[in-house]
Amino acid sequence: MGSRLQRRRKEQAVMKALQMHGVFQSVAFRKILQGDEEGWNRKTTRASELCEVQDERAKFSHFSKYIEPSLGKQMVIVKPKQTVDLSKEWTSFIGSSVAPPDSSSKGSKSPEDESSLFFLLEASPPAKDSEGKLKLRDVSSDRVVNLSDLAVPVAWKPGEPFGILVQASAENFSKVGTAFMEGVLELDDGLYVDQIISVEVQGHPFNLVDPLVDKDVGFSLPGNNLDESSEFPSDGSEVKSGRQSRKKHSSQFTKRVEKQKKGTDDKGGVNGALSDSTKPPNVLIFTGDNPQAAEIFEKATQALEGVLGRDKYVVYQLTPDQLAGHPWSENTALLVTVGQAGTAFTKEQLDIVNDYVVVGGKLLNVGMNLAFEVGQYAAGKKSPLTPTDINYKAKNSADEVSFRAPYSSDQIQVTSEDSSSVLVSVKGESLVVECAEDRGKVIHSRLPLVALEQVTDENAKSCLQQILADVLSRLQITCQPEWKLPDLTPCFLVANTPATNSAFHNSVKPLLQKSILKASPVSLFFASNLAEAEDKVSADLLTVLSDMSPSSSAFDVDVYMKNLKSKVLGNVLMYIEVVPTTMTLFESFMFKVPKTVGAVAVASRQTKGKGRGGNKWLSPLGCAMFTAHVQFQSGTKLGSKLPFLQHMPALAAVEAIRTRPGYENLDLGVKWPNDIYFGGKQKVGGVMVKSSCMGRDFHALVGIGFNVANSKPTLCVNDIIEEYNEKNQTDLSPLKVEEVIAWTLTVLEKMIDDFQREGHLQFCKHYYQRWLHNDSVVHLEREDGPEVTVIGLDSSGFLEVKDKDGKLISLQPDGNSFDMLKNLIQMKKR
């Protein structure tokens, strides 16, 4: 109790220092300097090598009256306030939506304004002992303070010291500083913080890719879902040379490509003859400008996913900006509008929704302030919910269900009774109404079908779920109300040789605490047998069983090992039948294992599969889903041209199949920047890369999802093979997931080795043989935007296009991608 009180007093002291000095001076936490403070003041021009040189020499003042020095550390005030110029080799964190303020805003905000408090951390890797092992601090888990829990990452800078710029409230800054003073502050990658200082910022960091939607942003350094990584330019947001400039985008742009002809090409290959479906259809949830939009969306998603057909649809939130500015309707199977108190459509939003329905869209409106009229939707007033007794019989059911549930007292008004039918009514009041609108269909509900938290009775919840399934089926949405997410399962760890097995276990054994290798978001518990593993698998704790092959027939370890021909990559297999996602399983050991270990995590099902740019990846059985750990040094050819890494996994997956005898003419190709397509228009796979840096080494997690043997929700490789056999009178065998994963890892390792030896030019020759964009004419930003011709990849790995004047422009893959069904390159809006 006393230690918590002391910590709180320290935090309050930091807040007081910020209030008194934070506008024009920096508050800093650092190790106590050796020698004379006045001598330090005379020779120091700035508080950190990562800050800018000031016109006025930096002056340091002790503030022991606020916080006494502790554990060789102190808090000081630095005058003038220090500045970080983000245009000087800083790179933005991917996953953060924070944008640094313009330099014009300097000093204009209170230091307690949460949106304006930035601070800089100098960090360094832990030292090594005489045996080369990292010297890690021994801090009990109940005392550890994680930086990622208190601050949002903004940008990072490589080198020594390693720089991290973050944003936080004044209160959280005080908690970070106090934790540093007490020696309990930790970064997710195990780096040690050497100094913390509040700063002003100017300029803009170099941007690698579009920020992810995922809000759980950690401090994996560089700390980003690299998706597409980049080299580090020295001049910030633009890189220019004598003949080209790099254009960075922040709004949507699109590209239209000529439709691929169906049938057989001159090589006998299959070219788009199968299903036209390119991606799983979306179910979009719109909550209007409601301050509780995120919470409403989460609860509505839970209700919908409880009845939607498994692996059929992807549920996303549709924000007001996306409703107005994105081409969201094209792959949307259903729009769900959810209203609560204070929620309303604007006239512009109503017009957009009306246009969607008129041309054939399906709309489920639950409690949104709407009154339906032919040709238009008008906002109504929100009324409180009223409980009542309800009887309901589903469309294809002979049984009637009875229950008591609340409903909105707002009236549903229709002007044409011929085009509407009442599905649920009470005492003459219509509670659920089905309406036809030209080619579209709308169902209005005054019952809380996707807000089940408003219902306390379990029978009523079950009945409302049945009504929801019936309503969705009337909107041509496939339902499977009986299915539940499968239970999470243990991990089976199998190495290709005893030496590799020993290398892995010896590297992690010193870090185990009661057989647990702790990390965020997932820790690993190393069990000795199946009995010990029971009931110890959760979203944040994965049980690992070593030297034991899975009994499940879903994955054949022997087939995988037989087909793996790489030297390192994939030599340690972590197989999990059901896991949230394979991308988060490496944090506990990726910086500890030697370069002779190339771990790969494989799942048969993922409950929260992740795709590029915050997209979700459906994970049905038969899909090859795996993440591989790749290591290479920063000073190598690939290390200096990091953006090329994003292009390799998709190409490796294509080559893994098309280099097999007999499979050469399957029309699989690579869509920029990192998708796998069939026939130029049908997506069958995607890649996401997450990169971190420790010292001089890059660590990349390469995540791949590849439809191998799953015909749903879109198309798979074995469907393509079957169609090819029919057209060409061949007898190619269907592929196994284990084979494709092993082949892909083998090809990827060789591709990286070849790049390190030969450089990017040889890689590009290989890449252009499989990519889909040779000499494509596209439009930037919009359909009537500037017309450019795709040239290829530039020397840094970015997409290079040429405008009508012959000017070359390099486009960073910061969320931008080709829309293969339109004559646009689509740019994702920040």
Side-chain angles (χ1 to χ4, degrees):
M1 182 69 181
S3 61
R4 288 200 298 268
L5 181 60
Q6 292 176 359
R7 175 178 290 186
R8 184 57 187 158
R9 286 174 177 170
K10 292 178 182 179
E11 293 170 358
Q12 290 173 345
V14 178
M15 293 282 286
K16 184 176 180 181
L18 273 175
Q19 186 177 15
M20 294 183 63
H21 307 281
V23 174
F24 301 109
Q25 299 172 351
S26 291
V27 178
F29 301 88
R30 64 177 187 182
K31 297 177 182 178
I32 296 177
L33 300 172
Q34 299 296 321
D36 174 42
E37 185 75 25
E38 289 300 318
W40 178 268
N41 280 331
R42 286 194 298 271
K43 66 183 180 182
T44 304
T45 59
R46 49 188 168 173
S48 167
E49 291 298 316
L50 301 172
C51 294
E52 293 304 295
V53 175
Q54 307 288 319
D55 293 335
E56 180 182 352
R57 193 175 297 274
K59 299 291 184 180
F60 298 80
S61 301
H62 289 295
F63 263 78
S64 57
K65 65 180 180 181
Y66 286 137
I67 298 182
E68 292 292 335
S70 174
L71 301 177
K73 300 168 186 174
Q74 63 183 352
M75 184 179 82
V76 297
I77 303 299
V78 184
K79 179 181 180 181
K81 191 165 189 177
Q82 301 294 285
T83 300
V84 170
D85 187 348
L86 296 179
S87 67
K88 295 186 176 180
E89 298 186 1
W90 286 84
T91 304
S92 62
F93 271 93
I94 302 154
S96 172
S97 59
V98 176
D102 295 332
S103 57
S104 60
S105 67
K106 185 174 181 178
S108 62
K109 295 183 179 181
S110 164
E112 295 185 78
D113 184 342
E114 183 164 334
S115 66
S116 66
L117 182 56
F118 292 86
F119 55 97
L120 169 70
L121 297 95
E122 289 186 4
S124 60
K128 295 183 179 180
D129 60 21
S130 58
E131 298 179 357
K133 298 180 180 178
L134 296 178
K135 295 181 179 179
L136 301 177
R137 290 179 299 192
D138 185 14
V139 181
S140 61
S141 58
D142 60 328
R143 295 190 65 219
V144 167
V145 175
N146 290 308
L147 179 64
S148 56
D149 293 336
L150 297 173
V152 178
V154 177
W156 58 275
K157 186 174 182 177
E160 297 180 3
F162 199 103
I164 314 165
L165 181 73
V166 300
Q167 181 193 38
S169 64
E171 180 179 2
N172 281 354
F173 173 75
S174 70
K175 292 179 179 179
V176 171
T178 301
F180 171 75
M181 294 279 287
E182 295 180 350
V184 295
L185 180 65
E186 284 199 357
L187 302 185
D188 287 348
D189 278 338
L191 296 182
Y192 285 173
V193 177
D194 298 318
Q195 180 173 225
I196 304 171
I197 181 169
S198 62
V199 295
E200 298 283 3
V201 296
Q202 65 186 34
H204 295 278
F206 184 65
N207 189 32
L208 297 181
V209 295
D210 187 46
L212 294 178
V213 176
D214 187 359
K215 296 179 181 179
D216 296 327
V217 181
F219 286 83
S220 178
L221 301 175
N224 306 326
N225 280 324
L226 184 69
D227 208 339
E228 298 80 43
S229 185
S230 164
E231 66 179 351
F232 312 124
S234 59
D235 56 347
S237 62
E238 284 196 341
V239 178
K240 298 181 178 180
S241 66
R243 70 182 187 94
Q244 62 179 339
S245 64
R246 180 164 297 134
K247 182 176 180 180
K248 302 185 77 173
H249 299 283
S250 60
S251 63
Q252 179 161 351
F253 70 104
T254 52
K255 170 194 180 249
R256 182 181 304 153
V257 178
E258 292 184 3
K259 291 184 177 180
Q260 302 290 324
K261 295 181 179 180
K262 294 185 177 181
T264 306
D265 57 25
D266 55 3
K267 298 179 182 179
V270 183
N271 189 11
L274 297 173
S275 166
D276 287 339
S277 176
T278 61
K279 296 180 181 179
N282 297 330
V283 172
L284 302 183
I285 299 176
F286 180 74
T287 61
D289 296 304
N290 195 306
Q292 281 80 44
E295 181 181 357
I296 296 172
F297 166 73
E298 181 178 353
K299 292 176 178 177
T301 300
Q302 292 175 357
L304 287 166
E305 290 184 341
V307 298
L308 288 173
R310 186 167 70 180
D311 298 323
K312 298 288 186 183
Y313 306 96
V314 184
V315 181
Y316 289 110
Q317 183 175 6
L318 184 66
T319 67
D321 287 344
Q322 291 168 337
L323 178 77
H326 284 226
W328 55 269
S329 63
E330 297 167 7
N331 197 44
T332 298
L334 176 68
L335 173 63
V336 181
T337 55
V338 186
Q340 290 189 2
T343 305
F345 271 144
T346 65
K347 183 181 183 303
E348 292 77 12
Q349 292 169 345
L350 295 172
D351 291 340
I352 294 170
V353 173
N354 180 63
D355 291 342
Y356 163 71
V357 173
V358 166
V359 298
K362 306 298 188 300
L363 169 66
L364 171 59
N365 171 44
V366 182
M368 185 65 86
N369 302 339
L370 299 178
F372 179 74
E373 299 176 3
V374 174
Q376 67 176 2
Y377 298 89
K381 294 182 178 180
K382 184 68 182 177
S383 300
L385 297 177
T386 304
T388 189
D389 294 321
I390 298 170
N391 298 314
Y392 181 77
K393 186 169 71 173
K395 183 177 181 180
N396 297 317
S397 175
D399 299 325
E400 186 176 74
V401 296
S402 300
F403 60 99
R404 185 173 180 81
Y407 73 97
S408 169
S409 57
D410 289 338
Q411 297 294 317
I412 299 176
Q413 302 173 6
V414 296
T415 57
S416 175
E417 295 185 0
D418 293 337
S419 62
S420 64
S421 59
V422 178
L423 305 181
V424 180
S425 64
V426 173
K427 298 177 181 179
E429 288 195 47
S430 301
L431 301 188
V432 181
V433 178
E434 181 178 6
C435 306
E437 173 72 12
D438 289 347
R439 294 159 54 195
K441 183 178 287 188
V442 182
I443 292 182
H444 295 276
S445 175
R446 294 161 64 183
L447 296 173
L449 296 181
V450 294
L452 299 181
E453 76 282 355
Q454 299 177 11
V455 182
T456 57
D457 181 73
E458 291 301 321
N459 176 63
K461 285 185 179 181
S462 176
C463 293
L464 287 172
Q465 214 168 20
Q466 293 180 49
I467 296 176
L468 176 60
D470 182 47
V471 163
L472 293 176
S473 67
R474 292 172 184 267
L475 294 167
Q476 287 80 54
I477 299 298
T478 302
C479 292
Q480 190 178 350
E482 298 301 323
W483 84 275
K484 295 181 180 180
L485 282 175
D487 294 332
L488 302 178
T489 60
C491 167
F492 293 88
L493 191 148
V494 183
N496 66 338
T497 66
T500 303
N501 185 63
S502 297
F504 177 87
H505 284 283
N506 290 340
S507 64
V508 302
K509 187 175 181 180
L511 306 172
L512 295 178
Q513 300 178 25
K514 296 181 179 180
S515 299
I516 295 178
L517 192 59
K518 293 186 177 181
S520 176
V522 181
S523 297
L524 304 182
F525 169 65
F526 287 83
S528 57
N529 53 63
L530 276 173
E532 190 179 5
E534 290 181 358
D535 302 323
K536 287 194 176 181
V537 180
S538 64
D540 57 6
L541 182 65
L542 177 64
T543 299
V544 179
L545 294 162
S546 300
D547 306 320
M548 188 183 305
S549 294
S551 58
S552 169
S553 60
F555 191 87
D556 192 323
V557 174
D558 291 336
V559 171
Y560 167 80
M561 290 297 181
K562 179 181 178 181
N563 285 274
L564 184 70
K565 305 301 180 183
S566 60
K567 293 175 291 186
V568 173
L569 194 56
N571 64 5
V572 172
L573 170 68
M574 301 172 64
Y575 171 71
I576 316 97
E577 186 172 353
V578 184
V579 71
T581 173
T582 58
M583 287 295 292
T584 60
L585 304 182
F586 297 79
E587 303 297 333
S588 61
F589 65 83
M590 63 186 292
F591 300 117
K592 284 81 177 180
V593 295
K595 289 183 172 60
T596 56
V597 171
V600 59
V602 177
S604 290
R605 293 195 65 90
Q606 295 182 124
T607 60
K608 295 182 179 179
K610 296 181 179 180
R612 178 175 174 265
N615 292 327
K616 300 177 183 178
W617 182 265
L618 294 181
S619 306
L621 287 171
C623 180
M625 296 167 289
F626 59 103
T627 301
H629 175 214
V630 178
Q631 300 185 55
F632 52 92
Q633 290 187 332
S634 59
T636 59
K637 291 181 179 178
L638 182 57
S640 62
K641 295 183 180 293
L642 204 52
F644 280 99
L645 179 62
Q646 64 176 310
H647 305 298
M648 294 182 181
L651 178 60
V654 170
E655 289 296 273
I657 294 175
R658 295 194 62 173
T659 54
R660 312 303 298 181
Y663 296 83
E664 298 91 342
N665 292 329
L666 295 182
D667 195 8
L668 295 172
V670 178
K671 180 180 80 69
W672 180 85
N674 50 16
D675 286 331
I676 305 165
Y677 266 61
F678 163 68
K681 63 183 293 188
Q682 295 161 294
K683 182 175 179 177
V684 293
V687 171
M688 186 170 75
V689 182
K690 178 180 178 181
S691 176
S692 300
C693 181
M694 176 64 79
R696 297 186 179 275
D697 292 329
F698 277 112
H699 297 258
L701 298 180
V702 178
I704 301 178
F706 196 7
N707 295 339
V708 175
N710 54 299
S711 298
K712 299 297 182 181
T714 56
L715 177 73
C716 70
V717 172
N718 285 344
D719 293 334
I720 299 169
I721 293 172
E722 182 180 356
E723 182 77 2
Y724 181 91
N725 284 337
E726 291 179 2
K727 286 184 174 294
N728 296 278
Q729 301 300 307
T730 53
D731 190 26
L732 298 178
S733 299
L735 302 180
K736 297 179 180 179
V737 167
E738 299 91 336
E739 293 173 330
V740 172
I741 295 176
W743 297 341
T744 300
L745 293 173
T746 302
V747 174
L748 179 59
E749 183 183 80
K750 183 178 185 304
M751 199 172 288
I752 292 173
D753 291 344
D754 290 346
F755 192 102
Q756 298 285 40
R757 184 176 61 256
E758 300 170 351
H760 73 282
L761 293 179
Q762 285 298 117
F763 170 79
C764 286
K765 290 181 181 179
H766 191 182
Y767 183 71
Y768 296 149
Q769 294 175 3
R770 302 300 191 200
W771 87 325
L772 305 173
H773 313 299
N774 288 323
D775 299 321
S776 297
V777 177
V778 302
H779 293 270
L780 299 180
E781 312 240 356
R782 56 188 185 276
E783 292 193 35
D784 60 348
E787 187 176 270
V788 296
T789 301
V790 175
I791 302 301
L793 300 179
D794 69 7
S795 60
S796 298
F798 299 120
L799 182 69
E800 189 171 56
V801 299
K802 181 169 63 176
D803 65 15
K804 290 184 177 181
D805 297 327
K807 180 182 178 182
L808 295 175
I809 304 171
S810 292
L811 304 177
Q812 290 189 44
D814 52 351
N816 308 330
S817 62
F818 282 93
D819 184 342
M820 299 302 295
L821 298 183
K822 287 179 167 266
N823 207 8
L824 294 171
I825 288 183
Q826 190 163 4
M827 188 184 81
K828 293 189 177 181
K829 202 171 185 178
R830 286 184 179 77

